[in-house]
Amino acid sequence: MIVHTIEDTCLVYLLADPATRSAVAIDAGSGRWLERLASYGVDVVTDVLVTHHHRDQVEGLPLLAATGTRVWVPENEVELIADADHHWQRRNLANDYDLHTDRFSLLSSAPVTGVMKDYSTSEIGHLSVRTLPTPGHTPGSVSYLIDGYAFTGDLIHSPGKVWSAAALQWSYVGMEGAAMTMASLLQLLDHQPRALLPSHGTRMDDPLAAVTATCAALQDLVTVRLGTPSGLPAKLEDPYVELSPHLLMNRTSESRSYALLSDSGTALLIDYGYDLTTSIPTGGPRHVVRPWLPSLRALQRDYGIERVEVAIPTHYHDDHVAAFNLMREVHGTEVWASAPVAHVLENPAHYDLPCLWYEPIPCAQHVANGAAIRWREYELSMHALPGHTLYASAIEFEADGRRVLATGDQQTGSWSPDGVAEIPNFQYANAFAAEDYVASAALYQRLQPELMISGHWDPRAVTPSYLDELTRLGDEVARAHRALLPPSDPVFTGAVRISPYRVDAVNGRPFSVRVSVPADLVVPPGWECRRVDASEFVVVPRVDQPVRRARIAAGITRDGIYLGQLAEALVDVHLS
């Protein structure tokens, strides 16, 4: 392999195979360098690997694609390249507090052959390519390891420098990208690259020195802007708190996850969302939301864990499950879940709920609430835990002689006898009901756990007085709602809903929906609708052009009184 460095809108690296006079390019730049391709001893560029979506990296993709070059892009940023129109149409412009630099992206779509998956090794052209997640300059940036060289995009410019500080400020008051850049650089050193080759800057033949200097400069920037240094590098090095010899808490993740260790050298994780993150996620387009797996390296290094066999969620929220699909792809991890939670994970389009993950998450085991399942030397029992959300389960098990109960985000666990209040963490859009905390308090009294572990707060040693406080709190939650509200609220409690909530349909082809209560279904003019029974319907869309988010509604009549269209569903209709 011969590496040619081409100065363009970014540094384009041409990885040439003299025997075949072919090459693989790292980033496209403007593409104008194709006019002098023969001067590098190359007749054809078989493939181009994109490190991130910025225009100075990808402007030339249409030119390369027109010559037959295959285009490979980071999985997390594919929509910004392959579906640029959608991005520009939905990007918020007014009253905008989102500082992600996704407006420095393609003005129109470019063809994409495929995606480069995090942690994968792929044969691209004449090369073996290892793809590493390296968020920082953008959330979805990757670096490519090829023959010992690390092609790092704009993660680093030169020793002690980065290409842009503005790109590191993802939110209006944060420096998330700076912290993530440090974590990415430190993990890159795990692979012992012989050189770092950036998109802007200079080749670095002493990666350790370059990373050390750059992390120091980034830490200084964070301290100047926020008043305190980032704690992410220290968390990366030491992510786990040992609650007992076989139960660890991951302090780097949002929400907190827990590792149950088996003497077989394997682990089970309870929840695993955004590892090594800088803040609570707030949703957004797929390209700004990126799970990765940095803390798992410490499980092997410090605890001899060769594989995470199973992951179990307390509930479906993205900060508890975002990395599940990635773990399955990279480590073969199976997802086990209580049956109600599993249905949400596998069918997110069926639900109108906050904090849903973007893609379905397949579950290898659906465990009924009230039932137990065996993993290695442990037995784990599932218990319905409505409150924070209807689709949640408490997970009961014994570790190192203590009865442990994982309760997700149900309550803060902050109460103390000297007057610190316990907070019930309910959100109405999660399908909360007034009596939920009465039910969870009764569950705790019945199970009598010795340790309660939660998603965002410190583990709690359980005492009788704490259980009594949770009983009092449940009664207070119910009392406050009874005093404030009339007997029924069919709209905002989710009592009336259409499933699936999001439908992907083809013009002229029937699809089925079900309403949670007896109803009439209202569809757009010209569409066909046939009732199957009191709550199931078959709909045939009729359109003359593609439609995005057409609305159908459930009209509800109760005791002879028409209450209106109390629930809706959204339908995308394609012509074929």
Side-chain angles (χ1 to χ4, degrees), residues 81-82 120 325:
I81 297 171
S120 67
N325 280 341

Side-chain angles (χ1 to χ4, degrees), residues 1 10-15 23-29 33 45-53 56-58 61 64 69-75 77 81 112-117 120-132 142-147 149 151-153 197 199:
M1 179 182 76
C10 68
L11 293 179
V12 174
Y13 296 100
L14 204 59
L15 282 52
V24 173
I26 307 294
D27 290 320
W33 50 270
V45 179
T46 60
D47 301 88
V48 58
L49 296 164
V50 173
T51 60
H52 60 288
H53 74 270
D56 52 351
Q57 317 292 126
V58 298
L61 287 182
L64 277 103
T69 301
R70 295 180 291 262
V71 177
W72 306 92
V73 303
E75 182 177 27
E77 295 189 343
I81 297 171
V112 169
T113 304
V115 298
M116 302 301 288
K117 292 181 174 290
S120 67
T121 298
S122 308
E123 300 302 316
I124 303 294
H126 61 283
L127 302 172
S128 178
V129 181
R130 175 76 166 162
T131 303
L132 297 177
V142 300
S143 293
Y144 297 114
L145 284 177
I146 302 172
D147 196 25
Y149 295 101
F151 297 89
T152 57
L197 285 78
S199 289

Side-chain angles (χ1 to χ4, degrees), residues 55 58-59 80 84-85 87-88 103-110:
R55 259 197 315 269
V58 298
E59 180 182 332
L80 292 171
D85 291 342
H87 164 62
W88 283 107
R103 276 176 284 186
F104 188 40
S105 60
L106 283 175
L107 304 183
S108 57
S109 301

Side-chain angles (χ1 to χ4, degrees), residues 81-397:
I81 297 171
D83 196 8
D85 291 342
H86 185 209
H87 164 62
W88 283 107
Q89 291 297 331
R90 74 178 178 188
R91 182 53 159 99
N92 185 38
L93 302 177
N95 196 23
D96 180 26
Y97 285 75
D98 181 356
L99 302 191
H100 289 97
T101 53
D102 53 12
R103 276 176 284 186
F104 188 40
S105 60
L106 283 175
L107 304 183
S108 57
S109 301
V112 169
T113 304
V115 298
M116 302 301 288
K117 292 181 174 290
D118 290 345
Y119 304 104
S120 67
T121 298
S122 308
E123 300 302 316
I124 303 294
H126 61 283
L127 302 172
S128 178
V129 181
R130 175 76 166 162
T131 303
L132 297 177
T134 48
H137 187 67
T138 70
S141 291
V142 300
S143 293
Y144 297 114
L145 284 177
I146 302 172
D147 196 25
Y149 295 101
F151 297 89
T152 57
D154 283 327
L155 183 68
I156 184 173
H157 174 279
S158 53
K161 296 186 183 300
V162 296
W163 178 234
S164 168
L168 305 180
Q169 192 170 43
W170 297 350
S171 68
Y172 195 74
V173 297
M175 290 300 293
E176 299 89 349
M180 287 297 199
T181 296
M182 287 187 276
S184 293
L185 286 169
L186 291 170
Q187 289 178 86
L188 194 57
L189 292 178
D190 290 347
H191 300 272
Q192 300 180 320
R194 59 167 124 172
L196 308 181
L197 285 78
S199 289
H200 296 90
T202 59
R203 170 174 166 151
M204 288 154 273
D205 289 305
D206 188 345
L208 176 60
V211 167
T212 301
T214 306
C215 285
L218 287 166
Q219 195 70 279
D220 185 38
L221 175 66
V222 172
T223 302
V224 167
R225 172 60 184 87
L226 301 180
T228 184
S230 169
L232 234 60
K235 288 181 177 179
L236 174 65
E237 182 60 26
D238 186 22
Y240 291 101
V241 175
E242 192 171 298
L243 304 182
S244 66
H246 292 83
L247 182 61
L248 313 177
M249 180 182 73
N250 182 347
R251 66 191 184 104
T252 76
S253 60
E254 187 64 56
S255 68
R256 293 180 179 181
S257 65
Y258 297 86
L260 186 60
L261 309 184
S262 168
D263 290 333
S264 67
T266 58
L268 175 149
L269 296 186
I270 296 174
D271 293 333
Y272 196 72
Y274 303 106
D275 193 12
L276 202 67
T277 188
T278 57
S279 61
I280 295 177
T282 55
R286 182 67 176 85
H287 65 269
V288 306
V289 181
R290 209 255 186 89
W292 58 337
L293 311 174
S295 70
L296 298 190
R297 63 207 274 272
L299 278 182
Q300 182 175 19
R301 181 195 66 199
D302 299 337
Y303 297 94
I305 297 300
E306 296 300 322
R307 180 168 172 250
V308 175
E309 286 189 327
V310 173
I312 301 182
T314 55
H315 58 293
Y316 70 89
H317 284 168
D318 64 320
D319 57 327
H320 294 254
V321 303
F324 279 14
N325 280 341
L326 183 60
M327 279 198 298
R328 186 184 66 256
E329 293 171 2
V330 176
H331 295 288
T333 304
E334 288 190 355
V335 176
W336 299 355
S338 69
V341 175
H343 194 270
V344 180
L345 295 182
E346 294 183 331
N347 305 279
H350 284 227
Y351 294 87
D352 177 22
L353 290 168
C355 312
L356 289 165
W357 186 238
Y358 302 87
E359 297 94 29
I361 299 174
C363 298
Q365 296 282 351
H366 295 209
V367 185
N369 278 322
I373 190 168
R374 192 83 184 172
W375 173 74
R376 298 291 179 172
E377 60 265 44
Y378 300 97
E379 185 173 86
L380 299 99
S381 298
M382 302 291 191
H383 303 277
L385 192 70
H388 177 63
T389 170
L390 174 63
Y391 306 99
S393 295
I395 304 169
E396 177 193 14
F397 58 95

